[in-house]
Amino acid sequence: MKNEAHLKKNIGFAVATSLVVGTVIGSGIFMKPGIVISDTGNSTLALWAWIIGGIITLASGLTIAEVSVKIPKTGGLYAYIEEVYGKFWGFLCGWVQTLIYGPAIMGALGLYFGSLVAGFFGISESYKILIGIGTILFLGFMNLLGTQYGGLIQNISTIGKLIPIILIAFFGIFKGDVSVLDMGSGVTHSFSMGAAVLATLWAYDGFMNVGYMAGEMKNPGKTLPRAIISGILIVIVAYLTVNIAMLHVLPASKIVELGPNAASTAASHLFGSMGGKLITIGILISIFGCLNGKVLTFPRIPFAMAKDGFLPGAKALSCIHPKYKTPVGATLVQLAIAIIMMLVGNPDRLSDIAIFTVFTFYGLSFLAVFILRKKTVENKNMYRVPLYPITPLVAVLGAIYIIGSTLINSPLDALFSIGITIIGIPVYAKLNANKKRESLLKAS
């Protein structure tokens, strides 16, 4: 196996767009409506929270699309940060994503998928870990056979998850008879639009993952921005229509009361007893596709870092399969960390802790568009973020909002996340010293 091997460029617009939709739409669209209504106090403000979250996400996508066109490298956020701010900041960004963010999210989705499968088939809840681990290993194996297989799963699961969403949206809007606007939540606690928008932003997160695959796209300069923008627009429409449909079928207070079961109950009202089962299947497909997108994209982070020699065990992590041209070493390590998290802890909490630091780097990547505009020669045919500088400023303010909210609402989680980042500093210093030593030995 030669170190000079390159990842195969076989990802087109359709697969890239389905990656955006697939990695964003997971369980959030079914789990968050009640939380958002509860935080805002009524249905109208809840819809505005989804719109505001969508605007922030779209601004972020439009902004990162320009950055991705100017830095079309595998590694996504890590590659952008390293290119603009230097290897130190790039390392810290990749360190957090490699060690916690990616594996924790994969582990959380795997456990949730296992729990729903066990419940759907009447299997003991104790088997959820085995089901989750088996699912992650299956998806890892399929993606190691080539991005065309992982991409095929992504396309099929994306279509599959959109079917129940379209059914609920269409029939809910046209068959429902409950007033949608200005309906109270039935909750007496204080109003918090900030918490509501924050909840929607968690549901919108994941759009940047497709950037990890830029080095495997046929024409990243055109494909990547089109995929990011198209994918985010599909997600925004899906989220708004499903929320409107559910509000048209169930009172806002009932959605809050039912929580995660609101979508199934709404489906039962629309389609009868089979509706709940249909939606459960839809949620399973949704999570399965989302998990596949994470398994496909997250290993590209340690792979990109290892190629630069900035991870312990870089030689093994940068291995590419000689036949399938996939990052086998990085994928196996990410799967192993995810499985360990599933066995020994609650990865949902770990991903919440990691998200603080990830959004810090999101903010830096949005600021990068201003730096790149000054440093690079503009090509008239190259994609440029519309409404500059307003659009990137909205994206930056959105990132600042998330960071500030985490510091205020979960200071211990934020401090723990900062601590994990700090641990990476001596690791970087050691690896950097080793690289300098190796360079001196070669020079002599």
Side-chain angles (χ1 to χ4, degrees), residues 194-195 197-198 201-202 356 398-411 414:
V197 174
L198 191 62
L201 287 173
W202 300 147
F356 168 80
I400 292 172
Y401 169 79
I402 291 180
I403 295 167
S405 296
T406 307
L407 284 168
I408 293 169
N409 298 319
S410 305

Side-chain angles (χ1 to χ4, degrees), residues 261-272:
N261 298 313
S264 297
T265 304
S268 296
H269 285 325
L270 291 170
F271 311 116

Side-chain angles (χ1 to χ4, degrees), residues 50-291:
W50 286 101
I51 292 170
I52 293 169
I55 290 171
I56 293 173
T57 304
L58 184 58
S60 302
L62 291 168
T63 302
I64 208 64
E66 179 171 331
V67 177
S68 68
V69 166
K70 292 177 176 176
I71 311 174
K73 296 180 179 179
T74 293
L77 185 62
Y78 159 71
Y80 309 152
I81 297 295
E82 182 189 63
E83 182 79 14
V84 177
Y85 299 100
K87 290 189 178 296
F88 173 71
W89 288 105
F91 171 83
L92 290 182
C93 174
W95 171 260
V96 171
Q97 292 185 88
T98 298
L99 200 62
I100 294 179
Y101 182 69
I105 290 178
M106 287 190 288
L109 288 169
L111 284 173
Y112 192 42
F113 183 81
S115 181
L116 283 179
V117 169
F120 187 77
F121 290 102
I123 305 171
S124 172
E125 182 75 6
S126 61
Y127 286 98
K128 69 177 182 180
I129 295 178
L130 289 177
I131 296 171
I133 290 174
T135 303
I136 284 180
L137 290 175
F138 168 75
L139 290 174
F141 174 74
M142 293 302 296
N143 280 287
L144 284 176
L145 291 179
T147 52
Q148 68 270 27
Y149 296 106
L152 178 63
I153 292 173
Q154 198 63 41
N155 282 334
I156 294 172
S157 62
T158 298
I159 294 170
K161 74 172 61 180
L162 289 176
I163 290 174
I165 290 172
I166 292 170
L167 288 174
I168 291 177
F170 181 82
F171 286 99
I173 289 172
F174 289 102
K175 291 184 66 176
D177 56 6
V178 178
S179 179
V180 172
L181 301 177
D182 293 322
M183 299 303 293
S185 65
V187 179
T188 57
H189 67 64
S190 60
F191 162 81
S192 177
M193 177 61 84
V197 174
L198 191 62
T200 69
L201 287 173
W202 300 147
Y204 282 116
D205 187 40
F207 67 89
M208 199 182 288
N209 288 23
V210 70
Y212 304 148
M213 311 290 293
E216 295 159 81
M217 290 181 183
K218 297 172 184 176
N219 187 351
K222 291 184 178 179
T223 300
L224 194 52
R226 286 171 56 205
I228 290 174
I229 295 165
S230 300
I232 291 174
L233 288 174
I234 291 171
V235 171
I236 291 173
V237 171
Y239 280 19
L240 283 175
T241 53
V242 166
N243 274 275
I244 291 171
M246 288 177 61
L247 285 166
H248 205 26
V249 175
L250 298 172
S253 58
K254 192 67 175 177
I255 294 175
V256 174
E257 178 188 332
L258 290 168
N261 298 313
S264 297
T265 304
S268 296
H269 285 325
L270 291 170
F271 311 116
S273 60
M274 289 299 294
K277 292 183 179 179
L278 174 67
I279 290 305
T280 301
I281 293 172
I283 294 173
L284 286 171
I285 293 172
S286 180
I287 297 171
F288 185 81
C290 186
L291 179 56

